[in-house]
Amino acid sequence: IMNAGTQCCMFLSIFLFISICLGEDYVLDDKTGLGRSFDGIGGLSGGGATSRLLVNYAEPYRSQILDYLFKPKFGASLQILKVEIGGDAQTTDGTEPSHMHYEDDENYFRGYEWWLMKEAKKRNPNITLIGLPWAFPGWVGNGENWPYSFPDITASYVVSWILGAKQYHNLDIDYVGIWNERSFNSKYIKLLRYTLDKSGLERVKIIASDNLWEPISSVVTFDKELQDAVEILGVHYPGTNTLPEALKTGKKLWSSEDYSTFNDNVGGGCWARILNQNYVNGKMTATICWNLVSSYYGDLPFGRDGLMTAKEPWSGNYVVESPIWITAHTTQFTEPGWTYLQTVGHFTHGGSYVALTDERGNLTIITETMTHDHSVCIRPPLPSYDVTAQNVTFHLKGTFASISELQVTEGSFSIELDVDEVYTFTTVRNGQRGSYPDPPPSAPFPKSYKDDFDVSGHPYFSEAPNFADQTGVFEYFTNQTDPGPHVSTLRQVVTQRPVTWVADADQTISVIGDYQWQDLMVSCDIYMESVHTGGVFIAVRVNKGGGVVRSTRGVFLWVYADGTYKVTNDLNGMTVLAEGLSGTRARVWYTLTLTVKGNYASADLNGYSLWKNAVLWEPRHGWAAIGTSSFELAQFDNFAIEALT
């Protein structure tokens, strides 16, 4: 018997004798047939750079976090990993780099999703892998903010990612989704199926529409070619419900993105309720959590919405939150391919129960009695309902009547269920609450920080540690034509507005540091590559990121290739604090220094004062940042921070 009261996040492995008591009766029986095949519980890395800081953790903490997520019979023991196919655009908490920034460019070592998938496979070779694009490089849309004008290009782009996963990383992608949440396009889905098959990827299945049950359910019913192309009907945040039209298709039904909820105990309750009720109410056989791990700055949108929190690589601190153990209640005692019983459902006095079997004698029963206020998910709204403490008696029938491991008496056992509890009753004996020694204590971002962007020191990813790209992509760059003090730099590489998922800013920006910083000095060497239109900035007190980055404020020091500078109070340059001549031009290295103390800001260019004591009132705190005035090539080197308060 596995027991976890979510109020205190317990996860205990104990075998108990359960006495018979009066209460409601529930039959678990397979003699009338079984339900749908279970496909797994998963996590989603992406939809906005949500695993961004994880790769920056030092060992052993990085491996410990990965074990809590993926190692079987240890922590969450995830059975599915879904990742973003990076598209160079802002997709909630940041940007993820594309494998093809340009039409004639291919690089399958950018970003960290390749690394993450390999780490997941290392721990669980049977884990299911899914790729889904949220956005696309601008060339895919041919200048339009729409990926379906040239669907053959879009399909080839997605398939190239799947082929690259195998060729360069020996990763077999099992499923691919269509463009996330924006449209249902049957022509593209059919073309994607054709392109996969033509490329020898018949085994890769399509999930559609990764949005709503309709219109795809109705269309699939009457379109044989589309029906053959789509393997899974996947929806987002279904509220545990489905539609009759979806059930009539005969397709597998998945909640292909769900949860999105703060990972406190209410979040754990949300997760417990929907893991059971997605099947009880909606016959969904897989549920995938957004997001896998809260490994991004907490003041970005949806802070701490992961299964666990790992957002301090500089300290090594991470927190194993209650959703990890709620996940374990299912994943440690089932496997994809097990089958739900038909005799599952709701308790008379609130809550739900599911039962699964491997059809070889094993049985796992998961119960949850989550109250309304203890299980509210971020979406959709949760109707009112009541749950009370109750005694339940399970009667095991059919092939389960002879089970003795559960301490049954004449094929039955009873238990008293209080509110806000999760129990797992199982014949599987090897689950455990895995643990490591406590990680280091939490600590703020270092007040003194430097990075010379030495490429050789970071083999796992293409971005500089702790920088969180918000518009544009900043990658390590080795200058082959001009060796010298700036041979290894950080380069902004996106030169065309992407096919966006949210409203990317017109300027590119990457943030770093402590959101609570007030008085700060930032310096950086900068290099503009655009002769006539080049412009770069360094900034402090940057107060917004994610999908609202367009409206971020702060203190921005800009220099331009036309020999001018300005200081603005916002990213879009509408509020000018100071401006003048700088003498700057393209293809020359300069050192910029920006200092803010209280209500005053000043800046230096190559050690000489540009201006002093520009007056500002808001914002009072925020991140440091670097960026460019448009989608353009520019380089950065020798970045340094000194936080004064």
Side-chain angles (χ1 to χ4, degrees):
I1 301 166
M2 304 304 300
N3 167 282
T6 60
Q7 288 175 329
C8 53
C9 307
M10 296 171 61
F11 187 83
L12 308 173
S13 179
I14 51 178
F15 279 78
L16 301 176
F17 175 80
I18 302 176
S19 61
I20 298 297
C21 57
L22 296 176
E24 302 291 342
D25 296 300
Y26 304 91
V27 175
L28 298 176
D29 193 355
D30 62 347
K31 65 184 178 184
T32 58
L34 295 170
R36 295 191 171 211
S37 178
F38 172 65
D39 294 310
I41 306 301
L44 201 168
S45 172
T50 52
S51 302
R52 174 66 193 89
L53 298 175
L54 175 59
V55 289
N56 302 142
Y57 271 79
E59 295 294 355
Y61 311 116
R62 182 169 57 196
S63 289
Q64 292 173 4
I65 296 164
L66 293 165
D67 284 351
Y68 279 117
L69 293 169
F70 299 116
K71 186 177 179 180
K73 312 296 184 185
F74 187 84
S77 306
L78 291 171
Q79 298 151 331
I80 300 170
L81 173 60
K82 182 177 181 179
V83 304
E84 177 175 353
I85 300 174
D88 291 344
Q90 168 63 247
T91 55
T92 296
D93 286 292
T95 66
E96 295 201 29
S98 170
H99 61 289
M100 297 179 70
H101 293 316
Y102 324 109
E103 189 171 3
D104 58 352
D105 162 67
E106 289 187 67
N107 185 324
Y108 297 93
F109 295 91
R110 295 181 182 128
Y112 39 85
E113 302 295 7
W114 315 107
W115 166 82
L116 183 62
M117 287 188 285
K118 287 189 287 187
E119 292 294 325
K121 276 285 187 182
K122 185 189 302 182
R123 288 160 174 80
N124 178 6
N126 297 319
I127 197 168
T128 297
L129 297 179
I130 305 172
L132 174 70
W134 267 253
F136 298 89
W139 66 268
V140 173
N142 197 31
E144 299 181 33
N145 193 40
W146 184 247
Y148 296 143
S149 296
F150 301 90
D152 55 332
I153 294 176
T154 304
S156 295
Y157 169 84
V158 170
V159 169
S160 69
W161 183 87
I162 299 172
L163 291 170
K166 181 63 174 178
Q167 180 178 350
Y168 295 98
H169 301 285
N170 197 30
L171 291 168
D172 291 311
I173 304 301
D174 299 293
Y175 295 91
V176 64
I178 63 170
W179 190 32
N180 178 286
E181 285 193 354
R182 284 295 183 265
S183 174
F184 162 62
N185 188 296
S186 59
K187 178 181 179 181
Y188 169 71
I189 294 173
K190 297 172 188 177
L191 185 56
L192 178 59
R193 180 71 269 163
Y194 169 79
T195 308
L196 287 165
D197 294 347
K198 185 179 67 172
S199 303
L201 296 171
E202 294 88 353
R203 60 170 184 76
V204 179
K205 307 303 182 183
I206 294 175
I207 304 171
S209 64
D210 255 324
N211 188 6
L212 303 172
W213 292 120
E214 290 288 21
I216 190 169
S217 296
S218 297
V219 177
V220 161
T221 302
F222 299 104
D223 187 330
K224 181 63 166 59
E225 187 180 358
L226 184 64
Q227 189 175 102
D228 292 341
V230 174
E231 179 77 7
I232 307 289
L233 294 187
V235 298
H236 290 191
Y237 310 98
T240 76
N241 295 311
T242 187
L243 294 177
E245 290 77 10
L247 290 166
K248 289 176 185 176
T249 66
K251 295 290 183 183
K252 289 187 174 185
L253 310 178
W254 285 10
S255 180
S256 52
E257 183 179 322
D258 217 325
Y259 178 69
S260 273
T261 301
F262 195 77
N263 59 19
D264 58 7
N265 287 341
V266 173
C270 154
W271 187 230
R273 177 175 54 80
I274 65 178
L275 285 183
N276 265 24
Q277 296 192 28
N278 273 352
Y279 186 77
V280 170
N281 299 338
K283 294 297 181 284
M284 288 168 271
T285 55
T287 298
I288 301 173
C289 170
W290 189 86
N291 52 68
L292 171 73
V293 54
S294 179
S295 204
Y296 46 98
Y297 289 116
D299 291 288
L300 288 168
F302 302 98
R304 265 188 66 188
D305 274 13
L307 292 175
M308 62 181 290
T309 302
K311 59 183 178 67
E312 289 187 13
W314 48 87
S315 73
N317 179 261
Y318 62 86
V319 185
V320 184
E321 313 280 7
S322 63
I324 289 289
W325 306 118
I326 293 299
T327 311
H329 269 278
T330 299
T331 56
Q332 289 203 25
F333 309 101
T334 64
E335 296 287 347
W338 283 41
T339 307
Y340 285 99
L341 273 60
Q342 289 188 11
T343 50
V344 301
H346 292 276
F347 291 123
T348 302
H349 301 290
S352 65
Y353 62 98
V354 295
L356 302 95
T357 179
D358 64 355
E359 300 184 65
R360 296 191 299 272
N362 281 311
L363 175 68
T364 291
I365 308 160
I366 304 113
T367 70
E368 60 82 20
T369 52
M370 293 299 114
T371 57
H372 179 280
D373 292 349
H374 197 79
S375 66
V376 175
C377 301
I378 193 171
R379 66 177 77 89
L382 182 62
S384 296
Y385 64 89
D386 294 319
V387 180
T388 59
Q390 55 198 298
N391 294 331
V392 303
T393 299
F394 286 106
H395 297 274
L396 307 185
K397 304 286 188 178
T399 60
F400 310 122
S402 60
I403 287 176
S404 60
E405 289 91 340
L406 296 177
Q407 297 290 346
V408 297
T409 302
E410 296 182 353
S412 299
F413 68 91
S414 300
I415 187 169
E416 183 175 347
L417 300 178
D418 204 347
V419 298
D420 295 326
E421 289 185 341
V422 178
Y423 285 82
T424 295
F425 308 88
T426 182
T427 57
V428 177
R429 293 177 173 266
N430 58 349
Q432 65 170 318
R433 183 185 175 111
S435 65
Y436 285 111
D438 289 342
S442 176
F445 195 95
K447 287 190 173 183
S448 181
Y449 182 83
K450 294 181 179 180
D451 196 334
D452 62 2
F453 305 131
D454 180 5
V455 178
S456 63
H458 306 288
Y460 295 116
F461 46 93
S462 55
E463 300 97 329
N466 306 321
F467 277 89
D469 301 346
Q470 299 300 302
T471 296
V473 173
F474 296 74
E475 295 180 346
Y476 285 122
F477 177 67
T478 301
N479 193 333
Q480 303 286 357
T481 60
D482 186 22
H486 299 290
V487 64
S488 181
T489 67
L490 196 67
R491 192 188 202 197
Q492 200 295 117
V493 296
V494 178
T495 58
Q496 183 180 7
R497 174 174 289 279
V499 177
T500 59
W501 188 77
V502 294
D504 290 69
D506 296 322
Q507 307 77 17
T508 72
I509 178 172
S510 186
V511 302
I512 188 172
D514 189 332
Y515 188 74
Q516 300 305 318
W517 276 340
Q518 299 179 12
D519 294 347
L520 190 66
M521 181 177 70
V522 174
S523 66
C524 189
D525 296 345
I526 60 93
Y527 182 90
M528 295 171 279
E529 298 188 41
S530 300
V531 174
H532 300 293
T533 59
V536 302
F537 70 80
I538 62 174
V540 299
R541 293 188 185 175
V542 175
N543 72 344
K544 291 182 183 177
V548 294
V549 70
R550 289 179 65 89
S551 61
T552 191
R553 299 182 64 195
V555 184
F556 296 82
L557 166 61
W558 309 77
V559 294
Y560 299 95
D562 66 1
T564 64
Y565 79 88
K566 67 178 178 181
V567 185
T568 70
N569 206 187
D570 51 359
L571 178 61
N572 59 21
M574 299 299 292
T575 305
V576 178
L577 302 176
E579 59 186 333
L581 298 177
S582 62
T584 50
R585 55 191 174 90
R587 299 176 184 172
V588 176
W589 280 99
Y590 299 96
T591 300
L592 299 182
T593 304
L594 173 63
T595 303
V596 175
K597 293 182 180 180
N599 295 334
Y600 298 96
S602 58
D604 293 350
L605 173 67
N606 287 348
Y608 294 94
S609 177
L610 274 181
W611 47 268
K612 294 181 179 179
N613 298 332
V615 177
L616 61 132
W617 299 104
E618 296 290 341
R620 307 307 298 174
H621 58 84
W623 297 291
I626 58 175
T628 63
S629 62
S630 64
F631 290 97
E632 62 184 272
L633 297 174
Q635 296 179 53
F636 303 83
D637 202 1
N638 299 322
F639 179 82
I641 297 171
E642 290 293 335
L644 307 175
T645 59

